[in-house]
Amino acid sequence: WLAGVKLKTLLEHKQDTKIFEYKTRYLKRALLELEKIITIIQEHYPNIKIIFLRYEEDMRPLIHEFHKDWFKHDLLNFCNNNNITYIYEDSFCVSWFHKNKLTADKRHPNIEGAKLIAEKIAMYL
């Protein structure tokens, strides 16, 4: 609900939302590019274990609104269909890391945040 209120507020203040017209095309293209990269990696390292970990930008409402379903559905389905481990933790988002003093600059994990991420990934190795 709060994200919806923030999005509505931004839209009322004439924020540039033109990219939403191309959202489906853009997110589909992101998956196609991801598939190309995965193919290249697997060709060079056929026995590699690939792990994706969601660390979602959720402090900027327009960005979050743009891709939130992609992380929850599209990327999950992509990983399931391509035998890729996908770690989706509710707390692994910018706001949670920032609130818990796990960011260096309000966005990117600091040393403690990186340790938390590493520990989570190690559970899937």
Tab-separated table of all heavy atoms in Angstrom, residues 14-66:
chain	number	residue	atom	x	y	z
A	14	LYS	N	4.542	14.851	-11.625
A	14	LYS	CA	5.037	14.842	-12.999
A	14	LYS	C	6.402	14.174	-13.154
A	14	LYS	O	7.215	14.601	-13.952
A	14	LYS	CB	5.095	16.265	-13.579
A	14	LYS	CG	3.835	17.060	-13.432
A	14	LYS	CD	2.723	16.495	-14.286
A	14	LYS	CE	1.517	17.412	-14.201
A	14	LYS	NZ	0.275	16.773	-14.169
A	15	GLN	N	6.647	13.122	-12.384
A	15	GLN	CA	7.874	12.355	-12.567
A	15	GLN	C	7.805	11.671	-13.931
A	15	GLN	O	6.732	11.316	-14.410
A	15	GLN	CB	8.038	11.307	-11.458
A	15	GLN	CG	8.248	11.903	-10.096
A	15	GLN	CD	9.612	12.533	-9.957
A	15	GLN	OE1	10.595	11.964	-10.378
A	15	GLN	NE2	9.667	13.697	-9.365
A	16	ASP	N	8.947	11.467	-14.552
A	16	ASP	CA	8.997	10.843	-15.865
A	16	ASP	C	8.655	9.367	-15.743
A	16	ASP	O	9.400	8.593	-15.141
A	16	ASP	CB	10.390	11.014	-16.470
A	16	ASP	CG	10.447	10.494	-17.893
A	16	ASP	OD1	9.385	10.123	-18.449
A	16	ASP	OD2	11.548	10.446	-18.450
A	17	THR	N	7.528	8.976	-16.287
A	17	THR	CA	7.078	7.585	-16.222
A	17	THR	C	6.960	6.974	-17.611
A	17	THR	O	6.383	5.911	-17.771
A	17	THR	CB	5.722	7.496	-15.508
A	17	THR	OG1	4.779	8.310	-16.221
A	17	THR	CG2	5.820	7.954	-14.063
A	18	LYS	N	7.517	7.624	-18.600
A	18	LYS	CA	7.413	7.134	-19.978
A	18	LYS	C	7.949	5.711	-20.128
A	18	LYS	O	7.435	4.928	-20.913
A	18	LYS	CB	8.151	8.078	-20.921
A	18	LYS	CG	7.946	7.753	-22.378
A	18	LYS	CD	8.558	8.823	-23.254
A	18	LYS	CE	8.346	8.511	-24.694
A	18	LYS	NZ	7.112	9.013	-25.239
A	19	ILE	N	8.969	5.364	-19.345
A	19	ILE	CA	9.556	4.034	-19.451
A	19	ILE	C	8.533	2.934	-19.166
A	19	ILE	O	8.648	1.826	-19.663
A	19	ILE	CB	10.786	3.893	-18.543
A	19	ILE	CG1	11.564	2.638	-18.917
A	19	ILE	CG2	10.389	3.897	-17.082
A	19	ILE	CD1	12.921	2.548	-18.309
A	20	PHE	N	7.480	3.246	-18.392
A	20	PHE	CA	6.463	2.244	-18.096
A	20	PHE	C	5.721	1.804	-19.357
A	20	PHE	O	5.182	0.706	-19.406
A	20	PHE	CB	5.482	2.753	-17.041
A	20	PHE	CG	6.017	2.635	-15.646
A	20	PHE	CD1	6.817	3.620	-15.113
A	20	PHE	CD2	5.730	1.526	-14.873
A	20	PHE	CE1	7.330	3.510	-13.829
A	20	PHE	CE2	6.233	1.401	-13.583
A	20	PHE	CZ	7.034	2.395	-13.063
A	21	GLU	N	5.723	2.640	-20.392
A	21	GLU	CA	5.100	2.253	-21.657
A	21	GLU	C	5.837	1.083	-22.290
A	21	GLU	O	5.254	0.319	-23.053
A	21	GLU	CB	5.097	3.434	-22.634
A	21	GLU	CG	4.255	4.608	-22.188
A	21	GLU	CD	4.428	5.813	-23.099
A	21	GLU	OE1	4.753	5.625	-24.297
A	21	GLU	OE2	4.230	6.943	-22.625
A	22	TYR	N	7.100	0.949	-21.992
A	22	TYR	CA	7.938	-0.086	-22.590
A	22	TYR	C	8.355	-1.149	-21.585
A	22	TYR	O	9.264	-1.931	-21.851
A	22	TYR	CB	9.192	0.548	-23.194
A	22	TYR	CG	8.872	1.654	-24.167
A	22	TYR	CD1	9.023	2.987	-23.798
A	22	TYR	CD2	8.378	1.369	-25.432
A	22	TYR	CE1	8.714	4.008	-24.686
A	22	TYR	CE2	8.060	2.388	-26.322
A	22	TYR	CZ	8.230	3.701	-25.936
A	22	TYR	OH	7.920	4.701	-26.804
A	23	LYS	N	7.701	-1.181	-20.455
A	23	LYS	CA	8.099	-2.069	-19.360
A	23	LYS	C	8.187	-3.532	-19.795
A	23	LYS	O	9.204	-4.185	-19.567
A	23	LYS	CB	7.113	-1.931	-18.200
A	23	LYS	CG	7.413	-2.832	-17.039
A	23	LYS	CD	6.385	-2.625	-15.933
A	23	LYS	CE	6.595	-3.618	-14.814
A	23	LYS	NZ	5.633	-3.431	-13.743
A	24	THR	N	7.150	-4.063	-20.411
A	24	THR	CA	7.136	-5.468	-20.807
A	24	THR	C	8.278	-5.776	-21.769
A	24	THR	O	8.992	-6.760	-21.598
A	24	THR	CB	5.790	-5.830	-21.457
A	24	THR	OG1	4.748	-5.562	-20.515
A	24	THR	CG2	5.746	-7.291	-21.850
A	25	ARG	N	8.470	-4.918	-22.736
A	25	ARG	CA	9.536	-5.115	-23.723
A	25	ARG	C	10.916	-5.048	-23.056
A	25	ARG	O	11.781	-5.858	-23.330
A	25	ARG	CB	9.435	-4.051	-24.823
A	25	ARG	CG	10.414	-4.276	-25.934
A	25	ARG	CD	10.365	-3.246	-27.033
A	25	ARG	NE	9.105	-2.532	-27.131
A	25	ARG	CZ	8.939	-1.455	-27.868
A	25	ARG	NH1	9.936	-0.959	-28.562
A	25	ARG	NH2	7.781	-0.844	-27.915
A	26	TYR	N	11.103	-4.099	-22.180
A	26	TYR	CA	12.385	-3.930	-21.510
A	26	TYR	C	12.719	-5.137	-20.624
A	26	TYR	O	13.827	-5.665	-20.667
A	26	TYR	CB	12.361	-2.662	-20.657
A	26	TYR	CG	13.612	-2.463	-19.854
A	26	TYR	CD1	14.758	-1.927	-20.429
A	26	TYR	CD2	13.660	-2.850	-18.517
A	26	TYR	CE1	15.922	-1.765	-19.686
A	26	TYR	CE2	14.813	-2.694	-17.769
A	26	TYR	CZ	15.941	-2.147	-18.359
A	26	TYR	OH	17.085	-2.005	-17.630
A	27	LEU	N	11.758	-5.583	-19.826
A	27	LEU	CA	12.004	-6.702	-18.921
A	27	LEU	C	12.192	-8.013	-19.679
A	27	LEU	O	12.988	-8.861	-19.270
A	27	LEU	CB	10.888	-6.802	-17.886
A	27	LEU	CG	10.814	-5.615	-16.921
A	27	LEU	CD1	9.610	-5.738	-16.000
A	27	LEU	CD2	12.101	-5.449	-16.127
A	28	LYS	N	11.487	-8.169	-20.795
A	28	LYS	CA	11.706	-9.350	-21.635
A	28	LYS	C	13.122	-9.312	-22.215
A	28	LYS	O	13.820	-10.325	-22.248
A	28	LYS	CB	10.673	-9.404	-22.760
A	28	LYS	CG	10.772	-10.639	-23.608
A	28	LYS	CD	9.685	-10.696	-24.656
A	28	LYS	CE	9.823	-11.955	-25.491
A	28	LYS	NZ	8.781	-12.037	-26.507
A	29	ARG	N	13.554	-8.151	-22.636
A	29	ARG	CA	14.911	-7.997	-23.171
A	29	ARG	C	15.960	-8.298	-22.096
A	29	ARG	O	17.001	-8.894	-22.386
A	29	ARG	CB	15.093	-6.577	-23.711
A	29	ARG	CG	16.463	-6.264	-24.249
A	29	ARG	CD	16.732	-7.064	-25.519
A	29	ARG	NE	18.072	-6.897	-25.975
A	29	ARG	CZ	18.449	-6.080	-26.940
A	29	ARG	NH1	17.564	-5.348	-27.572
A	29	ARG	NH2	19.707	-6.019	-27.287
A	30	ALA	N	15.678	-7.910	-20.869
A	30	ALA	CA	16.608	-8.199	-19.774
A	30	ALA	C	16.780	-9.704	-19.617
A	30	ALA	O	17.903	-10.187	-19.437
A	30	ALA	CB	16.086	-7.579	-18.473
A	31	LEU	N	15.691	-10.465	-19.717
A	31	LEU	CA	15.791	-11.917	-19.624
A	31	LEU	C	16.556	-12.503	-20.804
A	31	LEU	O	17.343	-13.445	-20.640
A	31	LEU	CB	14.408	-12.559	-19.527
A	31	LEU	CG	13.723	-12.478	-18.173
A	31	LEU	CD1	12.330	-13.087	-18.241
A	31	LEU	CD2	14.536	-13.160	-17.092
A	32	LEU	N	16.340	-11.967	-21.988
A	32	LEU	CA	17.078	-12.448	-23.171
A	32	LEU	C	18.574	-12.197	-23.021
A	32	LEU	O	19.396	-13.063	-23.355
A	32	LEU	CB	16.543	-11.789	-24.442
A	32	LEU	CG	15.139	-12.206	-24.870
A	32	LEU	CD1	14.655	-11.346	-26.040
A	32	LEU	CD2	15.098	-13.682	-25.237
A	33	GLU	N	18.937	-11.035	-22.526
A	33	GLU	CA	20.355	-10.730	-22.310
A	33	GLU	C	20.941	-11.618	-21.229
A	33	GLU	O	22.071	-12.086	-21.340
A	33	GLU	CB	20.539	-9.249	-21.952
A	33	GLU	CG	20.231	-8.304	-23.096
A	33	GLU	CD	21.103	-8.543	-24.318
A	33	GLU	OE1	22.326	-8.743	-24.172
A	33	GLU	OE2	20.551	-8.547	-25.441
A	34	LEU	N	20.166	-11.866	-20.202
A	34	LEU	CA	20.606	-12.755	-19.135
A	34	LEU	C	20.843	-14.157	-19.682
A	34	LEU	O	21.845	-14.808	-19.353
A	34	LEU	CB	19.544	-12.774	-18.036
A	34	LEU	CG	19.903	-13.406	-16.728
A	34	LEU	CD1	21.121	-12.748	-16.107
A	34	LEU	CD2	18.715	-13.320	-15.791
A	35	GLU	N	19.961	-14.612	-20.531
A	35	GLU	CA	20.111	-15.935	-21.144
A	35	GLU	C	21.397	-16.015	-21.974
A	35	GLU	O	22.111	-17.026	-21.922
A	35	GLU	CB	18.893	-16.241	-22.011
A	35	GLU	CG	18.877	-17.644	-22.550
A	35	GLU	CD	17.581	-17.972	-23.263
A	35	GLU	OE1	16.894	-17.045	-23.756
A	35	GLU	OE2	17.244	-19.157	-23.324
A	36	LYS	N	21.709	-14.966	-22.711
A	36	LYS	CA	22.949	-14.937	-23.495
A	36	LYS	C	24.174	-15.053	-22.584
A	36	LYS	O	25.102	-15.810	-22.875
A	36	LYS	CB	23.053	-13.633	-24.299
A	36	LYS	CG	22.122	-13.533	-25.471
A	36	LYS	CD	22.326	-12.192	-26.152
A	36	LYS	CE	21.267	-11.891	-27.177
A	36	LYS	NZ	21.440	-10.544	-27.769
A	37	ILE	N	24.167	-14.305	-21.511
A	37	ILE	CA	25.303	-14.323	-20.584
A	37	ILE	C	25.449	-15.698	-19.937
A	37	ILE	O	26.560	-16.234	-19.847
A	37	ILE	CB	25.132	-13.221	-19.509
A	37	ILE	CG1	25.244	-11.843	-20.167
A	37	ILE	CG2	26.146	-13.384	-18.383
A	37	ILE	CD1	24.770	-10.701	-19.289
A	38	ILE	N	24.351	-16.291	-19.516
A	38	ILE	CA	24.385	-17.613	-18.889
A	38	ILE	C	24.924	-18.642	-19.890
A	38	ILE	O	25.743	-19.497	-19.530
A	38	ILE	CB	22.985	-18.025	-18.392
A	38	ILE	CG1	22.512	-17.088	-17.286
A	38	ILE	CG2	22.958	-19.478	-17.940
A	38	ILE	CD1	23.384	-17.047	-16.068
A	39	THR	N	24.502	-18.553	-21.124
A	39	THR	CA	24.970	-19.485	-22.158
A	39	THR	C	26.478	-19.375	-22.338
A	39	THR	O	27.179	-20.394	-22.399
A	39	THR	CB	24.244	-19.211	-23.492
A	39	THR	OG1	22.840	-19.400	-23.287
A	39	THR	CG2	24.734	-20.144	-24.587
A	40	ILE	N	26.998	-18.169	-22.398
A	40	ILE	CA	28.444	-17.966	-22.552
A	40	ILE	C	29.195	-18.558	-21.356
A	40	ILE	O	30.197	-19.255	-21.525
A	40	ILE	CB	28.768	-16.464	-22.727
A	40	ILE	CG1	28.250	-15.973	-24.074
A	40	ILE	CG2	30.270	-16.225	-22.580
A	40	ILE	CD1	28.271	-14.458	-24.224
A	41	ILE	N	28.716	-18.280	-20.163
A	41	ILE	CA	29.367	-18.800	-18.953
A	41	ILE	C	29.365	-20.328	-18.979
A	41	ILE	O	30.390	-20.969	-18.727
A	41	ILE	CB	28.685	-18.263	-17.687
A	41	ILE	CG1	28.933	-16.759	-17.549
A	41	ILE	CG2	29.171	-19.015	-16.440
A	41	ILE	CD1	28.092	-16.085	-16.482
A	42	GLN	N	28.217	-20.920	-19.285
A	42	GLN	CA	28.113	-22.373	-19.264
A	42	GLN	C	28.934	-23.039	-20.366
A	42	GLN	O	29.396	-24.163	-20.194
A	42	GLN	CB	26.644	-22.805	-19.331
A	42	GLN	CG	25.911	-22.470	-18.053
A	42	GLN	CD	24.423	-22.747	-18.115
A	42	GLN	OE1	23.807	-22.686	-19.181
A	42	GLN	NE2	23.836	-23.031	-16.966
A	43	GLU	N	29.120	-22.359	-21.491
A	43	GLU	CA	29.967	-22.904	-22.549
A	43	GLU	C	31.419	-22.990	-22.089
A	43	GLU	O	32.121	-23.933	-22.413
A	43	GLU	CB	29.874	-22.050	-23.816
A	43	GLU	CG	28.580	-22.248	-24.584
A	43	GLU	CD	28.435	-21.273	-25.753
A	43	GLU	OE1	29.311	-20.391	-25.949
A	43	GLU	OE2	27.424	-21.379	-26.466
A	44	HIS	N	31.866	-22.003	-21.359
A	44	HIS	CA	33.250	-21.971	-20.888
A	44	HIS	C	33.462	-22.798	-19.622
A	44	HIS	O	34.559	-23.298	-19.380
A	44	HIS	CB	33.698	-20.527	-20.652
A	44	HIS	CG	33.952	-19.783	-21.915
A	44	HIS	ND1	32.947	-19.162	-22.619
A	44	HIS	CD2	35.082	-19.599	-22.628
A	44	HIS	CE1	33.452	-18.596	-23.707
A	44	HIS	NE2	34.746	-18.849	-23.732
A	45	TYR	N	32.436	-22.893	-18.801
A	45	TYR	CA	32.527	-23.616	-17.530
A	45	TYR	C	31.294	-24.513	-17.386
A	45	TYR	O	30.361	-24.190	-16.649
A	45	TYR	CB	32.605	-22.643	-16.353
A	45	TYR	CG	33.708	-21.628	-16.499
A	45	TYR	CD1	33.450	-20.337	-16.967
A	45	TYR	CD2	35.017	-21.962	-16.162
A	45	TYR	CE1	34.470	-19.411	-17.101
A	45	TYR	CE2	36.045	-21.038	-16.295
A	45	TYR	CZ	35.759	-19.765	-16.766
A	45	TYR	OH	36.766	-18.856	-16.895
A	46	PRO	N	31.261	-25.649	-18.091
A	46	PRO	CA	30.052	-26.473	-18.134
A	46	PRO	C	29.577	-27.010	-16.777
A	46	PRO	O	28.397	-27.291	-16.605
A	46	PRO	CB	30.420	-27.627	-19.066
A	46	PRO	CG	31.861	-27.509	-19.346
A	46	PRO	CD	32.347	-26.181	-18.886
A	47	ASN	N	30.452	-27.129	-15.812
A	47	ASN	CA	30.061	-27.683	-14.513
A	47	ASN	C	29.850	-26.614	-13.437
A	47	ASN	O	29.751	-26.939	-12.254
A	47	ASN	CB	31.119	-28.690	-14.032
A	47	ASN	CG	31.194	-29.874	-14.966
A	47	ASN	OD1	30.180	-30.349	-15.463
A	47	ASN	ND2	32.403	-30.336	-15.238
A	48	ILE	N	29.785	-25.373	-13.840
A	48	ILE	CA	29.659	-24.281	-12.872
A	48	ILE	C	28.264	-24.270	-12.244
A	48	ILE	O	27.272	-24.589	-12.894
A	48	ILE	CB	29.966	-22.926	-13.547
A	48	ILE	CG1	30.198	-21.859	-12.485
A	48	ILE	CG2	28.842	-22.514	-14.491
A	48	ILE	CD1	30.809	-20.587	-13.033
A	49	LYS	N	28.212	-23.936	-10.975
A	49	LYS	CA	26.930	-23.739	-10.292
A	49	LYS	C	26.659	-22.237	-10.283
A	49	LYS	O	27.435	-21.454	-9.735
A	49	LYS	CB	26.979	-24.268	-8.865
A	49	LYS	CG	25.662	-24.051	-8.122
A	49	LYS	CD	25.670	-24.731	-6.777
A	49	LYS	CE	24.387	-24.478	-6.031
A	49	LYS	NZ	23.361	-25.438	-6.272
A	50	ILE	N	25.572	-21.854	-10.875
A	50	ILE	CA	25.205	-20.437	-10.956
A	50	ILE	C	24.143	-20.161	-9.895
A	50	ILE	O	23.175	-20.893	-9.766
A	50	ILE	CB	24.694	-20.079	-12.359
A	50	ILE	CG1	25.807	-20.309	-13.380
A	50	ILE	CG2	24.179	-18.641	-12.395
A	50	ILE	CD1	25.382	-20.125	-14.812
A	51	ILE	N	24.366	-19.090	-9.155
A	51	ILE	CA	23.427	-18.689	-8.111
A	51	ILE	C	23.075	-17.220	-8.326
A	51	ILE	O	23.948	-16.378	-8.456
A	51	ILE	CB	24.053	-18.871	-6.705
A	51	ILE	CG1	24.387	-20.332	-6.448
A	51	ILE	CG2	23.118	-18.321	-5.629
A	51	ILE	CD1	25.122	-20.578	-5.144
A	52	PHE	N	21.795	-16.931	-8.335
A	52	PHE	CA	21.323	-15.550	-8.349
A	52	PHE	C	20.762	-15.244	-6.965
A	52	PHE	O	20.050	-16.059	-6.391
A	52	PHE	CB	20.213	-15.339	-9.370
A	52	PHE	CG	20.666	-15.318	-10.793
A	52	PHE	CD1	19.731	-15.301	-11.806
A	52	PHE	CD2	22.003	-15.316	-11.142
A	52	PHE	CE1	20.126	-15.269	-13.129
A	52	PHE	CE2	22.404	-15.286	-12.460
A	52	PHE	CZ	21.458	-15.268	-13.453
A	53	LEU	N	21.080	-14.077	-6.470
A	53	LEU	CA	20.564	-13.636	-5.191
A	53	LEU	C	19.889	-12.287	-5.387
A	53	LEU	O	20.491	-11.350	-5.903
A	53	LEU	CB	21.713	-13.510	-4.175
A	53	LEU	CG	21.290	-13.043	-2.800
A	53	LEU	CD1	21.959	-13.905	-1.739
A	53	LEU	CD2	21.633	-11.589	-2.595
A	54	ARG	N	18.656	-12.216	-4.994
A	54	ARG	CA	17.914	-10.958	-5.124
A	54	ARG	C	18.440	-9.960	-4.097
A	54	ARG	O	18.502	-10.237	-2.914
A	54	ARG	CB	16.433	-11.216	-4.868
A	54	ARG	CG	15.630	-9.933	-4.665
A	54	ARG	CD	14.271	-10.300	-4.080
A	54	ARG	NE	13.523	-9.149	-3.660
A	54	ARG	CZ	13.321	-8.810	-2.389
A	54	ARG	NH1	13.821	-9.528	-1.421
A	54	ARG	NH2	12.603	-7.759	-2.088
A	55	TYR	N	18.814	-8.798	-4.590
A	55	TYR	CA	19.124	-7.649	-3.739
A	55	TYR	C	18.437	-6.479	-4.430
A	55	TYR	O	18.985	-5.831	-5.310
A	55	TYR	CB	20.635	-7.428	-3.607
A	55	TYR	CG	20.985	-6.299	-2.658
A	55	TYR	CD1	20.824	-6.458	-1.287
A	55	TYR	CD2	21.453	-5.091	-3.132
A	55	TYR	CE1	21.122	-5.431	-0.410
A	55	TYR	CE2	21.753	-4.056	-2.271
A	55	TYR	CZ	21.592	-4.225	-0.919
A	55	TYR	OH	21.891	-3.200	-0.056
A	56	GLU	N	17.209	-6.263	-4.067
A	56	GLU	CA	16.309	-5.399	-4.822
A	56	GLU	C	16.329	-3.956	-4.336
A	56	GLU	O	16.310	-3.693	-3.140
A	56	GLU	CB	14.897	-5.980	-4.699
A	56	GLU	CG	13.871	-5.317	-5.561
A	56	GLU	CD	12.534	-6.038	-5.490
A	56	GLU	OE1	12.471	-7.183	-5.020
A	56	GLU	OE2	11.540	-5.437	-5.906
A	57	GLU	N	16.328	-3.037	-5.283
A	57	GLU	CA	16.187	-1.608	-4.989
A	57	GLU	C	14.722	-1.361	-4.648
A	57	GLU	O	13.848	-1.530	-5.496
A	57	GLU	CB	16.592	-0.780	-6.197
A	57	GLU	CG	16.188	0.682	-6.129
A	57	GLU	CD	16.769	1.422	-4.946
A	57	GLU	OE1	17.966	1.709	-4.956
A	57	GLU	OE2	16.006	1.706	-3.999
A	58	ASP	N	14.450	-1.015	-3.407
A	58	ASP	CA	13.064	-0.775	-3.006
A	58	ASP	C	12.872	0.577	-2.322
A	58	ASP	O	11.793	0.860	-1.809
A	58	ASP	CB	12.561	-1.899	-2.099
A	58	ASP	CG	13.281	-1.945	-0.769
A	58	ASP	OD1	14.401	-1.417	-0.665
A	58	ASP	OD2	12.715	-2.510	0.188
A	59	MET	N	13.888	1.410	-2.333
A	59	MET	CA	13.770	2.720	-1.691
A	59	MET	C	13.361	3.815	-2.673
A	59	MET	O	12.967	4.899	-2.255
A	59	MET	CB	15.086	3.090	-0.994
A	59	MET	CG	15.318	2.219	0.242
A	59	MET	SD	16.850	2.526	1.120
A	59	MET	CE	16.733	4.234	1.583
A	60	ARG	N	13.453	3.530	-3.939
A	60	ARG	CA	13.014	4.494	-4.947
A	60	ARG	C	11.753	3.918	-5.596
A	60	ARG	O	11.827	2.952	-6.369
A	60	ARG	CB	14.121	4.741	-5.960
A	60	ARG	CG	15.333	5.385	-5.286
A	60	ARG	CD	16.395	5.809	-6.241
A	60	ARG	NE	17.058	4.649	-6.822
A	60	ARG	CZ	18.034	4.722	-7.708
A	60	ARG	NH1	18.461	5.883	-8.120
A	60	ARG	NH2	18.589	3.637	-8.183
A	61	PRO	N	10.591	4.469	-5.283
A	61	PRO	CA	9.308	3.867	-5.659
A	61	PRO	C	9.135	3.569	-7.143
A	61	PRO	O	8.618	2.505	-7.479
A	61	PRO	CB	8.277	4.896	-5.193
A	61	PRO	CG	8.949	5.620	-4.090
A	61	PRO	CD	10.405	5.669	-4.465
A	62	LEU	N	9.546	4.452	-8.027
A	62	LEU	CA	9.350	4.175	-9.447
A	62	LEU	C	10.196	2.996	-9.910
A	62	LEU	O	9.724	2.135	-10.651
A	62	LEU	CB	9.661	5.407	-10.304
A	62	LEU	CG	8.568	6.458	-10.349
A	62	LEU	CD1	9.016	7.663	-11.167
A	62	LEU	CD2	7.279	5.900	-10.901
A	63	ILE	N	11.426	2.935	-9.470
A	63	ILE	CA	12.288	1.815	-9.841
A	63	ILE	C	11.728	0.521	-9.271
A	63	ILE	O	11.641	-0.496	-9.961
A	63	ILE	CB	13.736	2.061	-9.362
A	63	ILE	CG1	14.344	3.207	-10.161
A	63	ILE	CG2	14.575	0.796	-9.482
A	63	ILE	CD1	15.693	3.658	-9.663
A	64	HIS	N	11.323	0.565	-8.010
A	64	HIS	CA	10.764	-0.631	-7.383
A	64	HIS	C	9.503	-1.093	-8.093
A	64	HIS	O	9.325	-2.282	-8.372
A	64	HIS	CB	10.477	-0.360	-5.903
A	64	HIS	CG	9.957	-1.551	-5.191
A	64	HIS	ND1	8.659	-1.642	-4.764
A	64	HIS	CD2	10.556	-2.711	-4.848
A	64	HIS	CE1	8.479	-2.808	-4.180
A	64	HIS	NE2	9.609	-3.479	-4.221
A	65	GLU	N	8.625	-0.180	-8.388
A	65	GLU	CA	7.374	-0.521	-9.069
A	65	GLU	C	7.657	-1.117	-10.443
A	65	GLU	O	6.981	-2.036	-10.893
A	65	GLU	CB	6.496	0.727	-9.209
A	65	GLU	CG	5.121	0.460	-9.748
A	65	GLU	CD	4.268	-0.412	-8.825
A	65	GLU	OE1	4.435	-0.357	-7.605
A	65	GLU	OE2	3.406	-1.142	-9.353
A	66	PHE	N	8.688	-0.624	-11.097
A	66	PHE	CA	9.028	-1.086	-12.441
A	66	PHE	C	9.443	-2.551	-12.451
A	66	PHE	O	9.060	-3.307	-13.332
A	66	PHE	CB	10.151	-0.215	-13.022
A	66	PHE	CG	10.454	-0.508	-14.454
A	66	PHE	CD1	9.663	0.018	-15.459
A	66	PHE	CD2	11.528	-1.304	-14.797
A	66	PHE	CE1	9.937	-0.244	-16.794
A	66	PHE	CE2	11.817	-1.572	-16.123
A	66	PHE	CZ	11.018	-1.040	-17.125
